[in-house]
Amino acid sequence: MATIFSKIINKEIPSDMVYQDEYVTAFRDIEPQAPVHILIVPNKEIPTVNDIQEDDEQLVGKMFTAARKIAADEGVAADGYRLLINCNQHGGQEVFHLHMHLFGGRPLGPMLLNR
Ligand code: DGP
């Protein structure tokens, strides 16, 4: 179940970490698609949105609270930003440790490019 994100959370491998508390960790995406592109990850290993349990509701809320703080710290809160979670193959998920993308720093265009 462990992915590369667990090693980042545990600081076994380096990352550009911007936030960490007992619930969540956030670090810059290795292949940024916007001037600000940060991944917000629960410290608990949850593979996908499909695996979120009722007991995880507070933890999922912590991901949003972290997003709000990080957006302010990165200076993108007022202009706006996008939060995105991919799930499984059709969603384009590549790393099977739940994560929320925070994109910002430029107008992000339409939500889906290929309809
Ligand atoms: P997703 O497609 O939603 O599963 O996005 C996975 C993202 O994770 C992708 O944008 C690239 C990023 N990523 C993958 N491996 C690493 C890594 O080792 N370090 C960092 N910082 N980001 C990574």
Side-chain angles (χ1 to χ4, degrees), residues 24-41:
V24 302
T25 299
F27 49 92
R28 293 188 198 282
D29 196 289
I30 205 166
E31 295 172 20
Q33 296 180 45
V36 175
H37 184 176
I38 290 167
L39 301 175
I40 300 162
V41 177

Side-chain angles (χ1 to χ4, degrees), residues 4-5 8 13-16 27-33 37 39 84-87 91-97 99-101 103:
I4 191 116
F5 287 179
I8 289 174
I13 64 166
S15 74
D16 190 350
F27 49 92
R28 293 188 198 282
D29 196 289
I30 205 166
E31 295 172 20
Q33 296 180 45
H37 184 176
L39 301 175
L84 178 81
I85 300 177
N86 294 321
C87 182
Q93 185 173 6
E94 293 174 353
V95 179
F96 287 84
H97 183 137
H99 53 282
M100 177 189 281
H101 296 256
F103 301 103

